[in-house]
Amino acid sequence: MSERPWLKKYDPDVPHDFAMPEVPLSFFLKQSAYHFPDRPALILGDCSITYRDLETAVDRLAMALRGNGLKEGEPVVLALPNIPQFILAYYAILKAGGVVTALNPHHRQSEMIAQVNQLSQRWLIGEFESYGMLKAVRAATSLEHVVVTQLEDARKLAGNKKPMDLPIPLQDGDYYLLELLGQGWDEPLPVISAECPAIYQFSGGTTGTPKAAIGLHRNLVANTLQFRSWLSGMHEGQEVVCAAIPLFHVYGMVIAMSLGIALGATLVLIPNGRNTQEVLDAIQKHKATLFPGVPSMYQAINQHPDVQAGHYDLRSIKACISGSAPLPQPVKEQFEQFTGGKLLEGYGLSEAPTATHCNPMYGENRSGSIGLPLPGVECRIVDPETGEKEVSQGMPGEMIIHGPQVMHSYLNDPIET
């Protein structure tokens, strides 16, 4: 496009474009572990894991997966809540050359069977508490290996040297995650290019029936860097992310996890984002500076009696990105009054992989607007009848988006952006 009028509304420090590095997504973890090795990367309750320990565990698990037969380009189901093991497994799968297929751990058995069968997957990493159901999924699908973990395993990842407790024997081919970490493999890890698939993200897409969109490493790297530049008030090695939005959803995956790790931030993990009391306690205790969420989360905080009574100090918050649903103006205004931070409405879709537009952090925020195209994004509004002719200002139409973060296709089904 020759004209991009929205650039005039960008915050002064936000670049109009950015150079795309040819790196895999795990590059951000490597960089943060190098620059901030002793900084807490992950916090869950009283458990804290440094960037050094996280990267070491990621490499060990990646080598164990390779040693036990995970093939390059092979998809792996990851069905965990917001616990350290999700992030450990996510980056280990990528470094082993696998492709993450993140599913809601609370899926019904039939839903999980349907999505596993779509991709003919052999590996699944899930919760020990669900092992009975996961065995049934394995029996009905292509699965050959189920890896399970439980909440208390996070403490052992954090350096607790107590003997490993295996609650029950698993069937052949299945593993405890800590068991894999203790195997001591020294497998060479593959070189991952920016053009390799990183995720298969299930989305309703154009049909309403969930199907897997392909996200390359370069797509996720691009969206991470777009928000890194958009939130110009964030500083590397100084931020704290309240990660209450589900990480198995690509929104949480990019804005909470990947952006947080790229910033060298501390991620405070909240397994159940609907627990407003836990979210409030985490924000106050750890002085969270970035809190991505959905409008219902911010409304729940606004309506909490202890917030209204002034019993919580939430003024550490600098910015919040709101997505997944329209953000009512009264919710935005009241939340900003309580916190002093910026609540920015954005817009995206799983195929982008999470966002293409956002209101600026310091500039004009228009009520009811999805904001401006992110750096590197081009868009136009066209006549929905033809899909080609641009409509005049103020007229309804459909938006066509192009950008480095837009996924290339669904599996076996070309994508239109």
Side-chain angles (χ1 to χ4, degrees), residues 118-119 212 214 409-414:
Q118 275 197 46
L119 301 179
I214 304 170
S409 65
Y410 297 110
L411 286 175
N412 305 317
D413 184 12

Side-chain angles (χ1 to χ4, degrees), residues 3-321:
E3 295 184 15
R4 293 186 288 174
W6 53 83
L7 297 178
K8 300 174 184 177
K9 296 290 186 178
Y10 272 20
D11 286 336
D13 294 334
V14 175
H16 293 178
D17 292 290
F18 63 94
M20 265 294 298
E22 295 296 319
V23 296
L25 189 63
S26 59
F27 172 81
F28 296 128
L29 175 59
K30 180 180 180 180
Q31 286 291 97
S32 290
Y34 176 80
H35 291 292
F36 312 108
D38 298 317
R39 180 174 173 81
L42 311 175
I43 291 177
L44 177 66
D46 60 357
C47 170
S48 177
I49 300 172
T50 67
Y51 270 102
R52 177 191 289 113
D53 289 343
L54 175 59
E55 188 189 33
T56 298
V58 164
D59 286 345
R60 286 167 55 199
L61 182 56
M63 287 188 282
L65 291 171
R66 292 287 292 183
N68 284 283
L70 180 67
K71 301 173 183 176
E72 198 167 339
E74 184 173 3
V76 179
V77 178
L78 182 54
L80 292 173
N82 289 16
I83 58 176
Q85 296 93 308
F86 180 100
I87 297 171
L88 164 62
Y90 184 95
Y91 285 97
I93 293 166
L94 296 184
K95 293 197 78 170
V99 184
V100 174
T101 306
L103 300 184
N104 187 338
H106 304 299
H107 265 344
R108 296 189 298 271
Q109 180 176 316
S110 59
E111 294 174 307
M112 199 161 286
I113 287 173
Q115 295 189 354
V116 169
N117 276 334
Q118 275 197 46
L119 301 179
S120 301
Q121 293 169 110
R122 297 191 305 130
W123 288 82
L124 182 148
I125 302 175
E127 294 182 281
F128 171 73
E129 292 80 2
S130 301
Y131 185 55
M133 185 266 283
L134 297 178
K135 285 195 297 182
V137 172
R138 176 180 168 179
T141 65
S142 56
L143 286 177
E144 298 175 14
H145 307 286
V146 173
V147 181
V148 290
T149 186
Q150 51 192 344
L151 187 62
E152 63 191 51
D153 293 344
R155 292 186 177 85
K156 298 172 185 177
L157 294 172
N160 188 326
K161 302 302 182 183
K162 291 182 180 179
M164 183 171 56
D165 180 25
L166 305 182
I168 61 170
L170 304 180
Q171 66 184 44
D172 289 345
D174 293 348
Y175 304 93
Y176 286 99
L177 187 141
L178 292 180
E179 181 184 7
L180 286 178
L181 282 171
Q183 286 184 347
W185 290 93
D186 192 19
E187 289 284 314
L189 297 177
V191 176
I192 310 300
S193 81
E195 299 303 319
C196 289
I199 60 172
Y200 293 147
Q201 188 68 28
F202 276 95
S203 166
T206 55
T207 64
T209 301
K211 53 187 177 181
I214 304 170
L216 307 181
H217 280 262
R218 72 186 309 272
N219 299 137
L220 281 86
V221 167
N223 212 201
T224 300
L225 291 176
Q226 285 168 323
F227 271 99
R228 173 66 188 89
S229 62
W230 195 253
L231 301 177
S232 57
M234 297 288 167
H235 304 287
E236 293 182 0
Q238 300 180 28
E239 309 303 335
V240 177
V241 179
C242 181
I245 196 78
L247 300 181
F248 60 78
H249 190 285
V250 74
Y251 174 31
M253 192 185 296
V254 173
I255 304 301
M257 184 180 72
S258 184
L259 175 60
I261 285 178
L263 284 166
T266 296
L267 276 64
V268 181
L269 301 172
I270 310 292
N272 178 11
R274 293 186 177 90
N275 188 333
T276 305
Q277 191 77 50
E278 186 176 359
V279 171
L280 288 168
D281 290 343
I283 292 172
Q284 179 166 271
K285 178 179 179 180
H286 299 288
K287 295 181 170 29
T289 57
L290 177 62
F291 175 34
V294 297
S296 60
M297 285 181 167
Y298 306 121
Q299 176 70 336
I301 288 175
N302 290 345
Q303 294 178 339
H304 196 282
D306 287 342
V307 172
Q308 294 180 345
H311 296 159
Y312 278 99
D313 181 3
L314 307 177
R315 302 192 74 80
S316 62
I317 292 176
K318 296 180 183 178
C320 302
I321 308 293

